[in-house]
mmCIF file of all heavy atoms in Angstrom:
data_model
loop_
_atom_site.group_PDB
_atom_site.id
_atom_site.type_symbol
_atom_site.label_atom_id
_atom_site.label_comp_id
_atom_site.label_asym_id
_atom_site.label_seq_id
_atom_site.Cartn_x
_atom_site.Cartn_y
_atom_site.Cartn_z
ATOM 1 N N ILE L 192 3.812 9.412 13.206
ATOM 2 C CA ILE L 192 4.716 8.576 14.011
ATOM 3 C C ILE L 192 5.730 8.001 13.024
ATOM 4 O O ILE L 192 5.333 7.444 12.003
ATOM 5 C CB ILE L 192 3.928 7.414 14.666
ATOM 6 C CG1 ILE L 192 3.050 7.985 15.776
ATOM 7 C CG2 ILE L 192 4.859 6.341 15.184
ATOM 8 C CD1 ILE L 192 2.339 6.937 16.578
ATOM 9 N N ALA L 193 7.014 8.173 13.333
ATOM 10 C CA ALA L 193 8.027 7.694 12.387
ATOM 11 C C ALA L 193 8.937 6.676 13.068
ATOM 12 O O ALA L 193 9.597 6.988 14.061
ATOM 13 C CB ALA L 193 8.844 8.868 11.863
ATOM 14 N N ASP L 194 8.927 5.464 12.533
ATOM 15 C CA ASP L 194 9.891 4.459 13.002
ATOM 16 C C ASP L 194 11.132 4.597 12.112
ATOM 17 O O ASP L 194 11.360 3.810 11.196
ATOM 18 C CB ASP L 194 9.300 3.049 12.920
ATOM 19 C CG ASP L 194 10.268 2.010 13.473
ATOM 20 O OD1 ASP L 194 11.212 2.412 14.191
ATOM 21 O OD2 ASP L 194 10.094 0.800 13.172
ATOM 22 N N THR L 195 11.903 5.596 12.415
ATOM 23 C CA THR L 195 12.999 6.049 11.572
ATOM 24 C C THR L 195 14.108 4.993 11.423
ATOM 25 O O THR L 195 14.741 4.904 10.367
ATOM 26 C CB THR L 195 13.579 7.346 12.172
ATOM 27 O OG1 THR L 195 12.480 8.248 12.309
ATOM 28 C CG2 THR L 195 14.658 7.958 11.325
ATOM 29 N N VAL L 196 14.325 4.213 12.469
ATOM 30 C CA VAL L 196 15.399 3.215 12.382
ATOM 31 C C VAL L 196 14.854 1.792 12.204
ATOM 32 O O VAL L 196 15.616 0.829 12.211
ATOM 33 C CB VAL L 196 16.342 3.284 13.621
ATOM 34 C CG1 VAL L 196 17.026 4.645 13.681
ATOM 35 C CG2 VAL L 196 15.605 2.996 14.912
ATOM 36 N N GLY L 197 13.547 1.679 12.061
ATOM 37 C CA GLY L 197 12.958 0.346 11.820
ATOM 38 C C GLY L 197 13.071 -0.578 13.028
ATOM 39 O O GLY L 197 13.212 -1.794 12.884
ATOM 40 N N CYS L 198 12.972 0.004 14.232
ATOM 41 C CA CYS L 198 13.160 -0.833 15.431
ATOM 42 C C CYS L 198 11.851 -1.377 15.990
ATOM 43 O O CYS L 198 11.865 -2.281 16.817
ATOM 44 C CB CYS L 198 13.890 -0.035 16.515
ATOM 45 S SG CYS L 198 12.947 1.424 17.064
ATOM 46 N N ALA L 199 10.713 -0.840 15.555
ATOM 47 C CA ALA L 199 9.439 -1.185 16.207
ATOM 48 C C ALA L 199 8.908 -2.539 15.736
ATOM 49 O O ALA L 199 9.128 -2.947 14.602
ATOM 50 C CB ALA L 199 8.402 -0.110 15.907
ATOM 51 N N ASN L 200 8.181 -3.202 16.628
ATOM 52 C CA ASN L 200 7.468 -4.411 16.222
ATOM 53 C C ASN L 200 5.959 -4.132 16.290
ATOM 54 O O ASN L 200 5.545 -3.129 16.893
ATOM 55 C CB ASN L 200 7.902 -5.624 17.060
ATOM 56 C CG ASN L 200 7.479 -5.524 18.513
ATOM 57 O OD1 ASN L 200 6.365 -5.103 18.814
ATOM 58 N ND2 ASN L 200 8.369 -5.905 19.425
ATOM 59 N N PRO L 201 5.138 -5.000 15.701
ATOM 60 C CA PRO L 201 3.711 -4.692 15.618
ATOM 61 C C PRO L 201 3.027 -4.450 16.969
ATOM 62 O O PRO L 201 2.177 -3.569 17.098
ATOM 63 C CB PRO L 201 3.136 -5.920 14.920
ATOM 64 C CG PRO L 201 4.257 -6.406 14.054
ATOM 65 C CD PRO L 201 5.503 -6.177 14.887
ATOM 66 N N ARG L 202 3.440 -5.189 18.004
ATOM 67 C CA ARG L 202 2.805 -4.978 19.318
ATOM 68 C C ARG L 202 3.113 -3.566 19.834
ATOM 69 O O ARG L 202 2.229 -2.864 20.324
ATOM 70 C CB ARG L 202 3.298 -6.047 20.308
ATOM 71 C CG ARG L 202 2.678 -5.928 21.683
ATOM 72 C CD ARG L 202 3.258 -6.929 22.661
ATOM 73 N NE ARG L 202 4.720 -6.947 22.662
ATOM 74 C CZ ARG L 202 5.502 -6.013 23.221
ATOM 75 N NH1 ARG L 202 4.957 -4.991 23.852
ATOM 76 N NH2 ARG L 202 6.802 -6.119 23.158
ATOM 77 N N GLN L 203 4.358 -3.139 19.681
ATOM 78 C CA GLN L 203 4.714 -1.793 20.135
ATOM 79 C C GLN L 203 3.960 -0.728 19.340
ATOM 80 O O GLN L 203 3.534 0.292 19.878
ATOM 81 C CB GLN L 203 6.239 -1.569 19.983
ATOM 82 C CG GLN L 203 7.051 -2.449 20.919
ATOM 83 C CD GLN L 203 8.534 -2.463 20.510
ATOM 84 O OE1 GLN L 203 8.866 -2.423 19.324
ATOM 85 N NE2 GLN L 203 9.404 -2.542 21.495
ATOM 86 N N VAL L 204 3.810 -0.996 18.059
ATOM 87 C CA VAL L 204 3.096 -0.049 17.199
ATOM 88 C C VAL L 204 1.641 0.080 17.680
ATOM 89 O O VAL L 204 1.119 1.177 17.883
ATOM 90 C CB VAL L 204 3.132 -0.500 15.726
ATOM 91 C CG1 VAL L 204 2.161 0.302 14.865
ATOM 92 C CG2 VAL L 204 4.553 -0.407 15.185
ATOM 93 N N TYR L 205 1.014 -1.063 17.878
ATOM 94 C CA TYR L 205 -0.388 -1.045 18.300
ATOM 95 C C TYR L 205 -0.557 -0.267 19.606
ATOM 96 O O TYR L 205 -1.442 0.577 19.748
ATOM 97 C CB TYR L 205 -0.892 -2.487 18.455
ATOM 98 C CG TYR L 205 -2.355 -2.571 18.726
ATOM 99 C CD1 TYR L 205 -3.277 -2.506 17.673
ATOM 100 C CD2 TYR L 205 -2.837 -2.688 20.029
ATOM 101 C CE1 TYR L 205 -4.635 -2.561 17.928
ATOM 102 C CE2 TYR L 205 -4.202 -2.736 20.278
ATOM 103 C CZ TYR L 205 -5.094 -2.674 19.224
ATOM 104 O OH TYR L 205 -6.450 -2.724 19.464
ATOM 105 N N GLU L 206 0.336 -0.564 20.546
ATOM 106 C CA GLU L 206 0.221 0.095 21.861
ATOM 107 C C GLU L 206 0.440 1.601 21.751
ATOM 108 O O GLU L 206 -0.304 2.391 22.352
ATOM 109 C CB GLU L 206 1.233 -0.502 22.845
ATOM 110 C CG GLU L 206 0.813 -1.898 23.293
ATOM 111 C CD GLU L 206 1.802 -2.551 24.225
ATOM 112 O OE1 GLU L 206 2.759 -1.875 24.673
ATOM 113 O OE2 GLU L 206 1.614 -3.746 24.514
#
Side-chain angles (χ1 to χ4, degrees):
I192 289 185
D194 183 18
T195 306
V196 298
C198 62
N200 67 41
R202 181 184 49 75
Q203 293 166 325
V204 169
Y205 187 82
E206 287 178 8

